[in-house]
Amino acid sequence: MTSAHEWLTGSVRRLIDATIRTEVDAEAIAAATEKIDSATAQLSDSLLPGSFGVQTGPDGRPTAWGNVVIGLRNPVAPPLTIHHGADGAVHTDFVLGAAYEGPPGHVHGGVCALILDHVLGATAHQPGKPAYTGTLTLRYLRGTPLGQSLRASAHVERIEGAKTFAVGHITGSDGVTVEAEGVFIHPKGGQRDG
């Protein structure tokens, strides 16, 4: 079942990209819209109530498959695959296309923030000990290019009680594009407070 959902999500990602970049005429757009509306109605025959929630991923880690950054069922997600190093550092390699554009030819700064928030949080999060963003500080050094290989990486700088301090960055072919520092809070009892 997971593979079928991944294929569907990939198809919708391609649809989003084509929707942004298409140059076809109004008649072709109307025909495509009719097919999309029909597919949407078919998929809506049986829906989960609310969000997708947390499921167990192929690696045994809990993951939010509807997550906007890593969700395998979320066509808005790039999606990122987070790699965990033995030293606790994390990284992910990815390419962002037209759906993530801000300034022409570059990734929107808010998308960079979204990715870095997730990657820094992934290094702060431990099994059974979730971490939530307290603060995230970004420094934009240069534009992050669309359509090119990028890497986001992060590591824990220090831990003080319930706070984990993490640092990271996004790198493109010309070097670091965005740097980030974050403070992540581990709530008492593993549950987020109010």
Side-chain angles (χ1 to χ4, degrees), residues 8-93:
L8 172 63
T9 304
S11 182
V12 175
R13 280 192 190 103
R14 290 187 298 279
L15 174 62
I16 290 169
D17 184 74
T19 300
I20 293 167
R21 299 187 308 120
T22 189
E23 293 285 324
V24 299
D25 63 27
E27 186 177 322
I29 290 173
T33 300
E34 187 175 317
K35 290 175 186 173
I36 293 165
D37 288 346
S38 175
T40 301
Q42 183 179 3
L43 292 171
S44 298
D45 281 345
S46 178
L47 298 174
L48 287 172
S51 70
F52 194 76
V54 176
Q55 304 292 321
T56 302
D59 62 359
R61 291 178 180 259
T63 184
W65 284 8
N67 184 288
V68 73
V69 182
I70 60 169
L72 294 177
R73 287 193 182 188
N74 188 340
V76 175
L80 303 184
T81 299
I82 306 296
H83 302 281
H84 297 263
D87 61 355
V90 300
H91 75 274
T92 182
D93 297 306

Side-chain angles (χ1 to χ4, degrees), residues 94 96 100-113 116 139-151 169-179:
F94 57 100
L96 297 174
Y100 306 98
E101 188 169 34
H106 293 88
V107 178
H108 191 287
V111 173
C112 293
L116 284 166
R139 283 179 295 287
Y140 295 90
L141 306 177
R142 62 175 54 87
T144 302
L146 281 176
Q148 295 183 18
S149 294
L150 301 169
R151 173 173 277 206
H169 57 269
I170 295 176
T171 306
S173 59
D174 292 333
V176 175
T177 63
V178 187
E179 296 176 333

Side-chain angles (χ1 to χ4, degrees), residues 121 124-133 162 164 184-192:
H125 183 89
Q126 302 300 321
K129 191 176 178 186
Y132 300 95
T133 309
T164 297
F184 295 84
I185 311 300
H186 298 276
K188 292 178 183 175
Q191 299 296 318
R192 186 171 190 169

